[in-house]
Amino acid sequence: MSNIENVIPAIKRNSIIPMVILTALFFILGFVTWLNGPLIPFFELACELSSSQAYFVTFAFYIAYFVMAVPSSWVIEKVGYKNGISLGLLIIALGAFLFYPVAESRTFLLFLIALFVMGTGLAILQTASNPYVVVIGPRESASNENKCFRNC
């Protein structure tokens, strides 16, 4: 039996647990992103906003993806995929914990800043987790567009 045939089962065994963790992370990403829609009516009531003002909730969240896309790649380049995932989760948690003091003041701008912080954490998390899935799995099963991550 050749050396490569011994390596492939080891790769499959070693990548199952990280793949399960990343699958759970993708569920978390989707859930946190989905939560923006139900938040809009609550912000309208709590901060006495008009409908158009309340839609700044989604704007503040998604503009973080646009603004933080390139800086996220720099962060991942410096800290690596695993640490980038951890950093993204910590930033999301920071944004979520900012809601406690902000809820006391009911200042809409501070709510938007907390949502921007959460969006920043999600941008870093997605920037790290998408290529990391390709890196931990077998190269043969990766799509052609993602195979470059293994060589970078």
Side-chain angles (χ1 to χ4, degrees), residues 61 91-92 94-99 102 108-120:
F61 187 80
I91 293 173
I92 291 169
L94 173 70
F97 284 123
L98 284 175
F99 274 81
V102 170
F108 186 57
L109 180 62
L110 295 176
F111 276 120
L112 295 179
I113 291 170
L115 284 168
F116 183 84
V117 170
M118 287 183 73
T120 299

Side-chain angles (χ1 to χ4, degrees), residues 13-91:
R13 271 185 272 128
N14 292 336
S15 65
I16 289 175
I17 292 174
M19 221 35 120
V20 168
I21 292 170
L22 285 171
T23 301
L25 276 177
F26 281 115
F27 173 76
I28 292 168
L29 292 170
F31 183 73
V32 170
T33 303
W34 171 82
L35 279 177
N36 281 322
L39 280 178
I40 292 171
F42 291 108
F43 281 122
E44 280 183 291
L45 290 173
C47 298
E48 299 173 356
L49 304 172
S50 68
S51 293
S52 59
Q53 289 173 322
Y55 281 99
F56 276 107
V57 169
T58 51
F59 178 78
F61 187 80
Y62 288 113
I63 198 68
Y65 280 96
F66 179 74
V67 171
M68 298 306 296
V70 174
S72 294
S73 68
W74 295 335
V75 169
I76 301 308
E77 194 174 303
K78 295 280 187 218
V79 300
Y81 294 132
K82 287 182 186 179
N83 292 335
I85 291 170
S86 298
L87 180 64
L89 287 170
L90 285 173
I91 293 173

Side-chain angles (χ1 to χ4, degrees), residues 99-148:
F99 274 81
Y100 285 111
V102 170
E104 292 295 321
S105 69
R106 290 192 182 187
T107 306
F108 186 57
L109 180 62
L110 295 176
F111 276 120
L112 295 179
I113 291 170
L115 284 168
F116 183 84
V117 170
M118 287 183 73
T120 299
L122 279 167
I124 292 172
L125 189 60
Q126 286 187 352
T127 303
S129 61
N130 286 332
Y132 187 59
V133 167
V134 175
V135 170
I136 63 172
R139 182 183 174 130
E140 297 77 32
S141 66
S143 68
N144 287 332
E145 296 85 24
N146 291 329
K147 287 184 181 178
C148 74

